[in-house]
Amino acid sequence: MTGFQITGWGKALPERVVTSIEIAERFGVDEDWIVSRCGIRERRFVSPGETTASLAVEAGRRALEKAGLTGEDIAHLIVASATPEQLSPATSAFVQHDLGVAGSAHDVNAECSGFVYGLITAAGLMTLDPRPILLIGSDTHSLTINPQDRDLGILAGDGAGAVVLTPTPDKWLQAWNLGADGKCTGSLKIQAGGSRMPTTEETVRQGLHYSEIKGNEIYLNAVRFTVRSVRATLEQAKIDPDEIDHILPHQANIRIINSILNHTGLDPDKLITNLEKYGNTASASMPIALTEALEADRINDGDLLLLAGFGAGMTWGSVLLKWGGEQS
């Protein structure tokens, strides 16, 4: 079967920087309180005119340039997002048009697990149609947060990250695991705006178009499911935790990340994180962090890279890559 290699990467972040000092003043707490709870000192918020699709287009364009390709070379476009451009059509349709993508386009919504879900979807597509694929994670959760909600208000950031996948006979993908548990749909949700609860004046009045979170449930389930996924992936690859060269988790909350490391035996010194600068950028967090690690020459051929994350739903997923691959 044809495998994939990552030949292009790029990120896009809004210009507006929102510090934890500013957030702390809004909620009447200290900056240190925010940093100690989640590890975030600043994040980026979109300004008028910036959208999920516009960020995705910018990140996608940079990834294409890095790969030496154009939209006409792309057979399939996948956009991972939980904050769509609009309910219909899919965000990928807007991105496909602006980037001039020649092939198909579809969205993946697994919330903050979206990039991992998209990566495995792309890997499957590659075996059926070995042509370039553009995968983008883009979210603007600052627009879904109730201004009075401190729990979510300290976390959210906006951004986009993208990778270009091209065919190779080498084996980059060593192992993977995806999962979901729909019993946990109430842990993090936006109630209004869909077919179950269409938007009305009353739903807007009640603020049901904003995100709602049960923080303790999310924390416990995020750790439990991500640990399970990481263990399954490492077992499938027959790899011990200390053999991993780089750990790239979903950039959600430093306490969650540290707990996952503790429960899996992964080395904190191998962690790739940018949480302090950007906050929780949802589907974009992993490709943004991956782009920055590659730009800093942190990842070398032969390195084992573990990506792991979770999202509302609950969803979870992990992927083990050998950068540069090995002969299949």
Side-chain angles (χ1 to χ4, degrees):
M1 288 188 179
T2 302
F4 71 82
Q5 58 187 334
I6 296 175
T7 56
W9 46 86
K11 65 179 182 181
L13 294 154
E15 290 187 8
R16 181 186 172 196
V17 177
V18 179
T19 67
S20 287
I21 296 174
E22 180 179 337
I23 298 293
E25 289 174 350
R26 181 194 306 172
F27 294 118
V29 297
D30 294 326
E31 178 194 15
D32 289 343
W33 182 86
I34 294 177
V35 175
S36 66
R37 286 180 65 86
C38 61
I40 302 169
R41 292 193 180 275
E42 59 185 40
R43 69 284 290 147
R44 304 291 183 92
F45 283 1
V46 290
S47 299
E50 292 178 312
T51 69
T52 296
S54 72
L55 293 175
V57 168
E58 184 178 347
R61 183 173 291 119
R62 291 175 177 175
L64 288 170
E65 290 174 355
K66 179 66 178 179
L69 301 177
T70 69
E72 293 181 354
D73 299 309
I74 298 300
H76 305 287
L77 166 67
I78 303 172
V79 176
S81 181
T83 53
E85 192 77 351
Q86 54 193 55
L87 285 178
S88 179
T91 301
S92 56
F94 297 94
V95 179
Q96 187 261 1
H97 175 265
D98 287 349
L99 288 178
V101 168
S104 72
H106 75 272
D107 286 12
V108 171
N109 182 357
E111 260 290 353
C112 299
S113 304
F115 183 74
V116 174
Y117 268 68
L119 189 60
I120 297 304
T121 299
L125 268 175
M126 187 67 75
T127 66
L128 298 172
D129 182 9
R131 293 184 293 164
I133 297 172
L134 176 59
L135 169 61
I136 306 173
S138 183
D139 270 306
T140 53
H141 270 297
S142 71
L143 302 176
T144 72
I145 304 300
N146 188 324
Q148 308 307 316
D149 185 344
R150 186 180 69 181
D151 289 343
L152 283 171
I154 66 175
L155 296 173
D158 302 333
V163 293
V164 173
L165 286 67
T166 55
T168 178
D170 295 337
K171 184 179 179 182
W172 282 50
L173 181 60
Q174 303 292 299
W176 60 276
N177 174 267
L178 297 178
D181 186 345
K183 295 192 299 293
C184 304
T185 54
S187 298
L188 179 56
K189 62 188 177 182
I190 298 176
Q191 293 191 69
S195 62
R196 174 173 290 206
M197 186 183 294
T199 302
T200 65
E201 289 185 11
E202 183 58 26
T203 65
V204 173
R205 188 176 301 112
Q206 293 184 36
L208 299 179
H209 58 295
Y210 288 127
S211 299
E212 303 174 50
I213 189 173
K214 295 178 181 177
N216 192 52
E217 285 186 18
I218 285 290
Y219 181 94
L220 294 175
N221 287 328
V223 173
R224 177 162 61 100
F225 291 137
T226 307
V227 167
R228 180 189 301 175
S229 182
V230 166
R231 287 174 175 167
T233 293
L234 295 182
E235 182 178 347
Q236 182 187 139
K238 297 180 172 56
I239 293 292
D240 292 328
D242 59 6
E243 296 180 73
I244 301 299
D245 296 295
H246 308 285
I247 304 151
L248 202 167
H250 164 48
Q251 310 289 305
N253 178 316
I254 196 61
R255 293 193 302 161
I256 291 177
I257 292 172
N258 286 336
S259 186
I260 291 168
L261 296 179
N262 289 336
H263 283 84
T264 55
L266 293 167
D267 186 351
D269 290 337
K270 298 176 180 178
L271 182 65
I272 295 173
T273 180
N274 56 19
L275 183 67
E276 184 178 66
K277 296 188 296 181
Y278 305 131
N280 182 344
T281 54
S283 298
S285 77
M286 286 194 226
I288 291 174
L290 176 61
T291 294
E292 293 193 330
L294 290 166
E295 290 174 343
D297 294 324
R298 288 188 60 181
I299 302 173
N300 302 302
D301 284 352
D303 285 355
L304 286 173
L305 171 65
L306 177 68
L307 295 88
F310 61 90
M314 294 278 291
T315 63
W316 60 86
S318 55
V319 173
L320 181 65
L321 301 178
K322 186 168 187 178
W323 202 264
E326 61 187 9
Q327 291 298 314
S328 299

